[in-house]
């Protein structure tokens, strides 16, 4: 389980949770399904996609601050390209 990709640039995705995108700025919508009590989100993040790169959406939980947040990482470099969406549990 992890962050689920719901839409890119306002276009809702199928249930496959993956998409090919062109280089440039994109807005993605993410949710996270908590097995115990439903969904966290949706959250929208913006990032600049580079040609030939893959990106991974992740969810995180901050124990010290008690909130969920999301990130987008470059799969090749591990660099975080977008982060946000602080959501209380």
């Amino acid at each position: 389980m992890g962050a689920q990709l719901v839409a890119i640039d306002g276009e809702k995705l199928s249930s496959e949770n993956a998409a090919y995108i062109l280089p440039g700025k994109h807005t993605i919508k993410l949710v996270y399904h908590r097995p115990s009590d439903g969904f966290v989100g949706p959250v929208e993040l913006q990032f600049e996609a580079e040609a030939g790169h893959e990106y991974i959406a992740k969810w995180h939980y901050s124990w010290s601050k008690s909130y969920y947040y999301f990130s987008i990482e470059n799969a090749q470099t591990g660099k975080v390209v977008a982060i946000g969406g602080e959501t209380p549990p």
Side-chain angles (χ1 to χ4, degrees), residues 2-87:
Q4 296 176 357
L5 185 59
V6 178
I8 298 175
D9 299 329
E11 296 289 325
K12 189 173 180 178
L13 299 181
S14 68
S15 61
E16 295 173 3
N17 200 29
Y20 290 100
I21 57 173
L22 295 173
K25 190 172 185 176
H26 295 281
T27 301
I28 61 167
K29 186 181 285 188
L30 302 166
V31 297
Y32 169 69
H33 182 257
R34 293 191 318 176
S36 60
D37 60 356
F39 287 90
V40 174
V43 169
E44 288 189 356
L45 298 178
Q46 291 185 341
F47 75 103
E48 187 81 23
E50 296 181 51
H53 288 253
E54 294 181 14
Y55 298 89
I56 300 170
K58 295 184 176 182
W59 74 275
H60 308 270
Y61 182 73
S62 170
W63 292 101
S64 63
K65 297 182 181 178
S66 295
Y67 65 74
Y68 289 90
Y69 62 99
F70 296 83
S71 68
I72 303 297
E73 295 180 11
N74 182 310
Q76 287 87 344
T77 67
K79 179 182 175 186
V80 174
V81 297
I83 193 167
E86 297 175 7
T87 307

